[in-house]
């Protein structure tokens, strides 16, 4: 990937027709980098994995917690990607990313609508490896009423792409991945198709395979001391 300057980031890579701010960069990493990341993730020792009901994940840099994250060393192969993102200058100098969450999604797996929350600096960057996915966005409703959120729009995340969310898209919207094995291309719903590395046809069906997402963020509250996380 060639060097990206701030002007390109704010113009060429900003997704239009959605609330501010989301940037989408196709082919942010190379196929060789993708292969290396996949190999490193899959060769991690079994205790590094946390098994959830619908997916499994790895935390690198520590476990975020309201009392503070105990900072842990991040391996070189992830520091390389952190360096590339830091060079985009979207994070302040004192807000260098210090945490990487790796989610593994098998075909048919997803994640419920959520926001990244107050434990993180309000910028989230995600590298996709292995497979595409559709990321769905919902407007957050500050109400006590029980109501199903209405999907506002979708983004197609291709393998090797980088997604950057901040401002309104971080604070005021939830995002999710539906639990399905295929995705349907609908140009009226997917707002970044014109920015993707391939041309997609209306009604085209994309088959999911195993996807690894690297969510790279800054955790402001950290500690080098062991904290007691009990009640």
């Amino acid at each position: 990937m060639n060097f990206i300057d701030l002007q390109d980031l704010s113009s060429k890579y900003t997704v239009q027709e959605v609330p501010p701010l989301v940037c989408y960069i196709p082919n942010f990493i190379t196929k060789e980098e993708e292969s290396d990341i996949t190999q490193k993730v899959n060769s991690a020792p079994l205790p590094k994995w946390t098994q959830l009901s619908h997916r499994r994940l790895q935390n690198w840099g520590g476990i975020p917690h309201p009392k503070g994250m105990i900072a842990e060393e991040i391996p070189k192969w992830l520091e390389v990607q952190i360096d590339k993102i830091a060079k985009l200058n979207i994070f302040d100098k004192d807000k260098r990313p210090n945490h990487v969450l790796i989610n593994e999604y098998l075909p048919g797996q997803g994640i419920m609508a959520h926001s990244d929350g107050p434990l993180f600096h309000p910028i989230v960057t995600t590298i996709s490896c292995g497979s595409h996915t559709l990321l769905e966005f919902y407007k957050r409703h500050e109400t006590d009423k029980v109501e199903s959120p209405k999907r506002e729009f979708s983004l197609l995340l291709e393998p090797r792409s980088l997604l950057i969310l901040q401002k309104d898209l971080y604070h005021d919207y939830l995002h999710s991945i539906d639990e399905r094995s295929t995705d349907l291309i609908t140009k009226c719903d997917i707002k970044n198709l014109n920015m993707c590395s391939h041309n997609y046809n209306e009604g085209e069906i994309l088959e999911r395979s195993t996807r690894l997402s690297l969510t790279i963020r800054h955790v402001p509250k950290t500690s080098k001391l062991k904290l007691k996380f009990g009640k």
Side-chain angles (χ1 to χ4, degrees):
M1 189 202 70
N2 295 327
F3 175 77
I4 297 173
D5 63 27
L6 288 176
Q7 185 175 359
D8 279 345
L9 194 61
S10 62
S11 57
K12 180 179 178 181
Y13 297 108
T14 297
V15 180
Q16 306 298 323
E17 299 182 19
V18 301
L21 179 66
V22 53
C23 295
Y24 179 77
I25 305 175
N27 293 318
F28 181 74
I29 61 172
T30 65
K31 290 184 177 181
E32 290 75 21
E33 287 177 296
E34 179 185 39
S35 178
D36 182 65
I37 289 170
T38 301
Q39 188 275 327
K40 294 291 197 307
V41 171
N42 290 332
S43 63
L46 191 59
K48 193 64 185 176
W49 287 100
T50 299
Q51 183 67 55
L52 304 180
S53 58
H54 296 285
R55 67 187 189 285
R56 60 177 186 163
L57 57 82
Q58 298 177 12
N59 276 284
W60 294 95
I63 307 294
H65 191 276
K67 292 184 178 180
M69 181 179 76
I70 301 174
E72 299 175 356
E73 185 177 358
I74 295 177
K76 179 63 177 177
W77 58 277
L78 285 175
E79 284 287 357
V80 169
Q81 301 307 322
I82 290 176
D83 284 342
K84 290 177 65 176
I85 289 173
K87 289 178 181 177
L88 297 177
N89 293 321
I90 55 174
F91 290 91
D92 294 336
K93 290 184 179 180
D94 62 340
K95 299 291 192 299
R96 175 182 168 83
N98 59 1
H99 181 262
V100 183
L101 175 66
I102 300 177
N103 277 292
E104 179 192 64
Y105 296 95
L106 303 179
Q109 293 182 336
I111 187 170
M112 64 184 297
H114 67 284
S115 64
D116 285 59
L119 294 183
F120 305 96
H121 182 65
I123 297 175
V124 57
T125 65
T126 302
I127 296 173
S128 295
C129 295
S131 176
H132 81 280
T133 199
L134 270 188
L135 194 62
E136 316 283 357
F137 286 83
Y138 302 83
K139 190 77 166 67
R140 183 199 298 275
H141 296 291
E142 300 295 343
T143 176
D144 293 332
K145 292 182 179 180
V146 178
E147 55 184 66
S148 299
K150 178 184 177 182
R151 188 185 66 186
E152 299 284 338
F153 62 91
S154 306
L155 297 175
L156 177 62
L157 309 187
E158 299 172 292
R160 299 179 295 282
S161 67
L162 175 69
L163 180 74
I164 305 170
L165 298 179
Q166 53 185 313
K167 298 186 178 179
D168 288 2
L169 260 297
Y170 187 96
H171 294 289
D172 299 332
Y173 281 77
L174 309 176
H175 51 274
S176 71
I177 297 173
D178 289 346
E179 294 182 337
R180 57 183 181 236
S181 298
T182 62
D183 293 297
L184 177 68
I185 296 298
T186 52
K187 294 185 178 181
C188 63
D189 295 323
I190 305 172
K191 300 303 184 182
N192 67 323
L193 284 179
N194 63 317
M195 306 171 69
C196 290
S197 61
H198 296 283
N199 292 321
Y200 298 94
N201 298 317
E202 180 73 20
E204 185 175 350
I205 295 176
L206 305 182
E207 298 276 348
R208 290 185 189 176
S209 57
T210 299
R211 174 176 176 262
L212 297 173
S213 68
L214 281 63
T215 301
I216 300 173
R217 298 171 287 198
H218 175 79
V219 178
K221 192 174 182 180
T222 63
S223 173
K224 294 183 179 179
L225 301 175
K226 187 172 184 179
L227 301 177
K228 295 182 179 180
F229 286 168
K231 294 182 179 178

